[in-house]
Amino acid sequence: MHSQSLSYLQRLLLACTTCMLLVVNGCGKPPTTLERIQAQGVLHVITRNSPSTYFQDRNGDTGFEYELVKRFADHLGVELKIETADNIDQLYDRLAAEDGPVLAAAGLVPSPSRLASLRFSDPYLDVASQIIYHQKDKRPKQPQHLIGKSLLALKGSIHEEHLQQIQKEHPEFRYEVSDQVETVDLLRMVDERQVDLTVVNSNQVAMNQVYFPNIRVAFTLDNSHQQSWAIAGGDDVSLLNEINRFLANAKQSGLLQRLTERYYGHVDTLGYVGAYAFARHLQERLPNYEAAFRDAAKIHSVDWRLLAAMGYQESHWLPTATSKTGVRGLMMLTQRTAKAMGVSDRLNPKQSIQGGARYIALLMAQLPKSIHEADRVWFALASYNVGMGHLEDARKLTAAEGLDPNKWLDVKTILPRLAQKQWYSKTRYGYARGGEPVHFVNNIRRYYDILTWATQPQMEGTSISGGSTHLPGIQSSDNTPVTDPEH
Ligand code: BLG
């Protein structure tokens, strides 16, 4: 009896313990944020629509933040749901909402004022605040040179906190902030002289220098900050830990460097002079040929921005361009190719563009089927420049090296060998300046990326320039309501 009751007690204890364990492990305890995301199969992220965060390009959704966050969703094995905020305050409000997004990825910098209510991930990008001025003005070199000028910054940004600091040290300094503009608008306003100065992140300058010919960096504020993702505050660190694991991995695998190069490497590739020139030509020359590019693109089913990028690489959109070798016109057709494409006057820009479009479409169709879909355009461009015969030679050399002849990343490392006797002597078509198509494709990729942002649907008609300088929502640093940033 005694032993029986003991065993009864033991059974009871066991049952209770099991029950408690179940409660703790599963049924009773609320799931962590990470478990909830995984159970729902959705990662809900808030960001902003801008060239450095999220926008639509030729392949759909893109942008530095988008690409990074999409890979994080893939890493979790869930769908990505993107929401955009109109301004920074709204973004943080949504993050705090019950049914809101679980993560904000929008080039955010953990500012002291936000740290109380939010958690930030480990950093993924170092940036600094840079004061931007118009190239025709005298370059301000230090904070006291900003006194007496108009300066407009993004409301709620980390820059606003820096400006407050400058004002403490130089009480005569004035600035204004607005939540009705994006960084790209601020840069445009300086470019078009609607405002003397602005302050933005260094990565945004690097990205936008190719769109605004007149913007220049005055000086970098004595600070650097690190961009991170933000999640709502609280004790649950499950999501934060997973994010930090993912970011550490992205650093190690080279993913972060690749994204940084693709989005912020324009100036590194083109050089400052090249970037200023591109920005000028985008405004002054492209409008003369845009319709011709669009027409030809439609007829031959290619992206007009790809044709425009080719035209820029070939001639900087100059219809009378002539190379040392007698190749001529906006799309630089050889005499032979021009004839084959039905072009009678290579210097006629419309004809040149039509001929170039017909030729690239033909090359794309002629490429071997084995070439990976995403890479076909790069192979077609390479053969536009060096000819299909030489490209075939390079693909054979690539295969002989044990690399993949259907992958552009592999073939481009081998192409320059066509200029070295030890290699070209073994090929069918012999010597070629194999480095030229590699450079050619790299540049066109870069121009194509730049044009894609400049011509994306959200950008068309969003210019706040032209006539009125009235911008609602501008607040002055001395708290007087301001509607015109010039006054
Ligand atoms: C290309 C032709 C290809 C031709 C290759 O040369 O011209 N492309 C066009 O005409 C559009 O058709 O291939 S082939 O027909 O199979 O032989 C090879 O001959 C032009 C290239 C040459 C290059 N630009 C378009 O990219 C050029 O002008 N290079 C010399 C520059 S310079 O003289 O050093 O300034």
Side-chain angles (χ1 to χ4, degrees):
M1 184 70 194
H2 190 67
S3 67
Q4 258 184 353
S5 69
L6 254 184
S7 89
Y8 173 72
L9 256 179
Q10 276 174 338
R11 279 208 307 276
L12 194 70
L13 253 174
L14 198 72
C16 281
T17 320
T18 315
C19 192
M20 272 166 67
L21 274 174
L22 270 175
V23 167
V24 170
N25 284 335
C27 23
K29 193 185 169 204
T32 64
T33 311
L34 186 61
E35 284 165 350
R36 234 182 29 242
I37 292 166
Q38 274 161 338
Q40 290 166 350
V42 178
L43 178 70
H44 184 176
V45 173
I46 190 155
T47 186
R48 308 192 63 213
N49 180 228
S50 85
S52 54
T53 50
Y54 167 67
F55 63 100
Q56 309 284 318
D57 87 344
R58 54 187 184 264
N59 302 313
D61 292 342
T62 192
F64 182 97
E65 292 286 3
Y66 174 82
E67 289 206 36
L68 198 57
V69 96
K70 173 76 177 82
R71 283 185 175 82
F72 180 54
D74 292 346
H75 160 87
L76 296 178
V78 298
E79 292 291 310
L80 176 63
K81 177 179 164 190
I82 289 280
E83 174 179 335
T84 55
D86 288 339
N87 56 58
I88 300 172
D89 289 336
Q90 191 191 74
L91 177 137
Y92 284 120
D93 286 349
R94 285 291 296 142
L95 193 59
E98 259 314 290
D99 64 332
V102 291
L103 166 66
L108 303 171
V109 171
S111 73
S113 63
R114 301 282 182 195
L115 277 171
S117 55
L118 293 167
R119 283 177 182 275
F120 285 90
S121 73
D122 289 342
Y124 53 80
L125 192 71
D126 288 334
V127 292
S129 300
Q130 293 186 316
I131 301 281
I132 304 300
Y133 76 113
H134 190 286
Q135 55 137 342
K136 292 227 169 91
D137 291 343
K138 188 157 180 255
R139 177 181 173 185
K141 296 202 174 102
Q142 46 194 330
Q144 56 263 46
H145 295 166
L146 308 179
I147 297 167
K149 308 252 181 189
S150 58
L151 188 154
L152 184 64
L154 217 57
K155 185 165 182 284
S157 66
I158 187 83
H159 315 299
E160 193 180 348
E161 299 186 17
H162 298 320
L163 293 174
Q164 281 162 2
Q165 194 53 40
I166 294 180
Q167 201 175 43
K168 265 193 205 142
E169 287 154 29
H170 306 277
E172 322 90 291
F173 166 62
R174 292 281 174 278
Y175 64 91
E176 290 146 17
V177 291
S178 170
D179 59 3
Q180 305 288 305
V181 287
E182 297 293 343
T183 301
V184 62
D185 300 319
L186 294 172
L187 293 171
R188 183 182 293 115
M189 289 174 79
V190 174
D191 191 68
E192 295 178 354
R193 284 182 170 282
Q194 293 177 32
V195 65
D196 294 329
L197 305 162
T198 188
V199 52
V200 303
N201 278 330
S202 46
N203 61 320
Q204 293 161 329
V205 185
M207 183 161 210
N208 286 291
Q209 187 71 74
V210 288
Y211 305 111
F212 303 113
N214 300 309
I215 62 167
R216 296 290 185 274
V217 175
F219 59 92
T220 300
L221 292 182
D222 197 13
N223 64 64
S224 82
H225 25 259
Q226 300 180 311
Q227 294 191 343
S228 321
W229 288 346
I231 63 166
D235 298 333
D236 182 352
V237 288
S238 57
L239 177 60
L240 193 69
N241 288 343
E242 197 58 33
I243 288 172
N244 288 341
R245 262 196 295 277
F246 165 78
L247 289 176
N249 220 325
K251 254 177 226 159
Q252 226 171 23
S253 68
L255 168 66
L256 268 172
Q257 289 95 310
R258 278 204 306 283
L259 288 180
T260 307
E261 202 284 325
R262 168 147 191 233
Y263 287 94
Y264 305 126
H266 299 336
V267 176
D268 296 341
T269 306
L270 309 182
Y272 277 101
V273 176
Y276 303 154
F278 183 87
R280 226 179 36 249
H281 297 152
L282 193 64
Q283 288 182 1
E284 292 168 5
R285 296 185 186 167
L286 182 60
N288 301 330
Y289 308 110
E290 185 175 329
F293 282 125
R294 283 184 190 268
D295 288 350
K298 215 173 186 175
I299 294 169
H300 299 285
S301 303
V302 282
D303 187 332
W304 79 268
R305 296 162 304 188
L306 177 69
L307 294 181
M310 290 165 64
Y312 193 73
Q313 169 61 22
E314 293 288 11
S315 67
H316 283 194
W317 297 319
L318 280 179
T320 52
T322 304
S323 86
K324 284 177 268 175
T325 44
V327 182
R328 306 197 78 181
L330 199 143
M331 299 296 274
M332 283 286 182
L333 305 175
T334 60
Q335 217 156 17
R336 211 177 72 154
T337 304
K339 201 163 166 220
M341 294 300 113
V343 171
S344 58
D345 178 4
R346 286 188 290 167
L347 300 186
N348 175 318
K350 267 196 193 155
Q351 281 199 32
S352 182
I353 290 170
Q354 283 288 346
R358 188 171 159 194
Y359 190 47
I360 193 75
L362 189 78
L363 292 169
M364 220 108 74
Q366 277 175 355
L367 287 173
K369 295 268 172 294
S370 55
I371 292 179
H372 306 301
E373 194 52 45
D375 281 8
R376 292 181 77 80
V377 61
W378 315 126
F379 278 95
L381 286 172
S383 65
Y384 186 100
N385 180 257
V386 77
M388 198 65 106
H390 292 302
L391 184 69
E392 268 312 300
D393 282 347
R395 292 183 66 237
K396 283 191 191 125
L397 290 178
T398 307
E401 287 294 295
L403 297 169
D404 185 351
N406 298 315
K407 214 163 120 193
W408 174 246
L409 272 181
D410 285 359
V411 176
K412 83 176 205 179
T413 62
I414 301 296
L415 260 163
R417 292 188 183 177
L418 296 181
Q420 297 167 31
K421 189 155 186 207
Q422 66 174 118
W423 298 104
Y424 72 69
S425 56
K426 294 180 192 148
T427 63
R428 178 163 174 201
Y429 296 93
Y431 171 85
R433 295 198 298 193
E436 194 179 305
V438 176
H439 187 64
F440 183 83
V441 172
N442 279 349
N443 281 359
I444 291 176
R445 280 181 94 142
R446 182 66 65 183
Y447 297 138
Y448 192 14
D449 275 347
I450 298 172
L451 285 167
T452 296
W453 161 251
T455 61
Q456 59 151 340
Q458 292 100 312
M459 285 298 286
E460 287 175 12
T462 59
S463 167
I464 53 166
S465 65
S468 166
T469 52
H470 173 84
L471 273 173
I474 291 184
Q475 273 172 24
S476 162
S477 57
D478 57 6
N479 279 331
T480 45
V482 178
T483 49
D484 184 341
E486 282 188 334
H487 296 109

